[in-house]
Amino acid sequence: MIRWRDGEVIATNDQWPGVVELEVAVREEDAHVPCPALAYTELVGRPEVGERVLLNTTALELGLGTGGYAMVVAVPDRPPPDPTGPGHLMKARYTPSQTTVLGVDEPASPHHAVLRDAADVAGMPVVTADLHSALPAVIAGARLERPAVRVVYVMLDGGALPAWFSRTTAVLRAAGLLTATVTVGQAFGGDVEAVTVHNGLLAARHVLDAELAVVAQGPGNLGTGTAWGFSGVAAGEALNAAAVLDGRAVAALRVSAADPRERHQGVSHHSLTAYGRVALAPADVAVPDLAGEIGERVRADAAALGQRHRLVEVDLDGAMTALRRLPVRLSSMGRSLEEDSAAFLASAAAGRHAARLVNDSARP
């Protein structure tokens, strides 16, 4: 089930919070083959040039979604020191990489009393999306409407478990466009850790003073080409959580005008499943005012969601400019903004509509 490789670090390349990118010479029979690798420094320490590392190359060799990297499992000759901080919340449980974090909602947390007594998110808008690539576009749309809006990302565990894997969130944080990340479920590495999406939303509102939350899985996803076998279906459950906590739920549609797969053209069948069948509570479905044939198809596809939800057509004035000004490279399923602008405009529409729901009198 795991392809193990042993190698030696020959170069350190790019780095961002919690991650260092390496080039490793992997022993393959009588040769050494260069291999790109990622090390999560909070888990394995920081490997140095010349040090031996143990790698998991499974997803890389299968061509799966690790961004083209092997993963450093350990620096066997120099393990990191034992952690000294508080925390009894175990994530990635019962795996070799299980890690202890301080949960925002556990008794040792200074925020425990706040989370114990919190009952709702006080009408905070909550955007749900099924792909991580929607996050920067949602933020662009929200800030187009409210330039200083405080946005918190609640990261589900359907994709990458370590939040550090996302360069997008690191760049958005550094640019001041994203306030913080809450990692929920088995995901870890956020500014705040929570057990469930419910407590994650409560923490976003009452601990991080969010005005708007975005809920989506981390980078990468698992899909099987079936209606239900997709990790992003959890967007429907997140919508239910937002509604239960008296949030203003806003569904971001997954849209494409360039995907070669018929089931993802127009409004993706995943959005229709997540919001049309999994989501039981009514929400606002942001329908982007796209021009031409793709606009007509999106409106027609989204109409089926109107039986349960409120369809809100959102204008896109200035949206392309806002998307182009983002400090991150936009990419969804390998396609850029110019290659599939409808995908990102749909997410920006959800962000713009959510920002319009922010209640000035309820702002923290």
Side-chain angles (χ1 to χ4, degrees):
M1 295 176 68
I2 297 178
R3 287 174 168 84
W4 299 97
R5 294 294 183 271
D6 196 86
E8 180 181 311
V9 179
I10 56 176
T12 59
N13 298 320
D14 199 6
Q15 58 184 308
W16 56 97
V19 177
V20 60
E21 188 180 54
L22 310 170
E23 186 173 349
V24 177
V26 175
R27 297 180 182 90
E28 295 284 358
E29 297 179 352
D30 296 329
H32 287 78
V33 179
C35 176
L38 282 188
Y40 295 121
T41 55
E42 296 293 322
L43 300 183
V44 302
R46 181 185 174 86
E48 301 294 344
V49 172
E51 287 192 305
R52 176 180 165 233
V53 290
L54 183 62
L55 302 177
N56 180 336
T57 63
T58 309
L60 176 62
E61 293 185 28
L62 292 176
L64 301 179
T66 63
Y69 297 105
M71 296 296 176
V72 176
V73 178
V75 185
D77 300 323
R78 187 175 60 86
D82 291 343
T84 58
H88 291 83
L89 210 81
M90 193 71 75
K91 295 204 175 185
R93 290 185 285 278
Y94 302 104
T95 71
S97 297
Q98 63 182 355
T99 184
T100 304
V101 299
L102 176 64
V104 70
D105 38 10
E106 67 173 289
S109 167
H111 308 295
H112 175 71
V114 172
L115 272 297
R116 181 193 61 208
D117 297 334
D120 58 56
V121 296
M124 178 181 68
V126 177
V127 179
T128 63
D130 70 358
L131 293 176
H132 183 71
S133 56
L135 174 65
V138 170
I139 291 174
R143 286 185 162 265
L144 185 60
E145 192 67 23
R146 287 181 176 268
V149 66
R150 288 178 60 85
V151 180
V152 170
Y153 170 40
V154 178
M155 179 175 141
L156 304 176
D157 57 11
L161 294 186
W164 308 305
F165 187 72
S166 174
R167 286 200 215 198
T168 294
T169 55
V171 173
L172 292 173
R173 282 291 307 278
L177 301 178
L178 177 66
T179 299
T181 296
V182 183
T183 34
V184 304
Q186 297 284 347
F188 57 90
D191 301 276
V192 167
E193 307 278 0
V195 174
T196 67
V197 65
H198 301 78
N199 262 13
L201 287 170
L202 290 167
R205 176 63 182 172
H206 298 289
V207 173
L208 298 169
D209 294 334
E211 296 174 282
L212 187 157
V214 183
V215 184
Q217 60 186 333
N221 61 83
L222 181 60
T224 62
T226 65
W228 298 100
F230 172 57
S231 52
V233 167
E237 299 288 6
L239 188 151
N240 289 334
V244 165
L245 295 173
D246 291 331
R248 296 291 303 273
V250 177
L253 293 173
R254 179 173 170 181
V255 167
S256 179
D259 199 302
R261 298 165 294 181
E262 174 63 27
R263 65 184 184 273
H264 293 306
Q265 293 173 13
V267 177
S268 168
H269 76 120
H270 286 321
S271 284
L272 298 178
T273 299
Y275 303 136
R277 303 188 68 183
V278 178
L280 301 179
D284 288 356
V285 174
V287 181
D289 186 19
L290 295 163
E293 291 183 9
I294 182 61
E296 293 176 6
R297 176 160 184 178
V298 167
R299 283 184 283 274
D301 291 347
L305 299 175
Q307 298 177 13
R308 180 172 299 170
H309 305 294
R310 186 169 76 99
L311 303 180
V312 182
E313 192 157 302
V314 182
D315 66 277
L316 298 172
D317 295 343
M320 278 297 288
T321 299
L323 291 167
R324 290 189 178 113
R325 287 177 177 169
L326 283 168
V328 297
R329 182 178 67 89
L330 293 175
S331 178
S332 183
M333 308 306 291
R335 293 182 293 275
S336 69
L337 174 62
E338 303 306 325
E339 291 170 325
D340 198 0
S341 60
F344 304 101
L345 288 169
S347 296
R352 168 171 261 177
H353 176 62
R356 289 170 174 168
L357 299 177
V358 172
N359 184 350
D360 284 314
S361 64
R363 293 173 125 186

